[in-house]
Amino acid sequence: MQTLKTALSGKKVGESRDMVKLLRIQATETHLVEFDNVDTRFNDCTNWQVVMGGERILFSTRMHERFSEVKSGVLATITVCENAATASDSAMLESAKALMKILDGYPSFAALAAHPKRITD
């Protein structure tokens, strides 16, 4: 008769090493990028935001937005805000460009989790 051994992994229910609750990256001196509930296995997050000087400038609240969808949404924001003259559009454009610089350098959320300017606290 075969005996099965149960290995104690130390994992808790609802926790996975594939999940990053809050992924924060200092994009520029003034811009902080935050991704919530990043699932590196499925390459998506529940929402994201760009904060400048403590104020949320650019954000998304879509559920399960894939990495490629984040990129295409930011590109659309850049296209829309490039020719706009208002101060809020300029701030959104700056924030979108800071985020795009981060996204262009990494192919996925898993790679982004290893970003050298990641803030862990």
Side-chain angles (χ1 to χ4, degrees), residues 84-101:
T86 67
S88 62
D89 287 335
S90 296
M92 285 178 61
L93 179 61
E94 242 183 272
S95 297
K97 285 183 176 181
L99 177 54
M100 201 62 206
K101 187 175 179 183

Side-chain angles (χ1 to χ4, degrees), residues 45-70:
C45 67
T46 56
N47 55 40
W48 55 267
Q49 65 183 2
V50 180
V51 178
M52 183 173 75
E55 183 180 351
R56 186 167 78 164
I57 303 295
L58 187 62
F59 61 94
S60 171
T61 57
R62 291 182 60 194
M63 294 297 286
H64 307 291
E65 191 167 11
R66 298 189 53 80
F67 187 82
S68 60
E69 293 168 345
V70 173

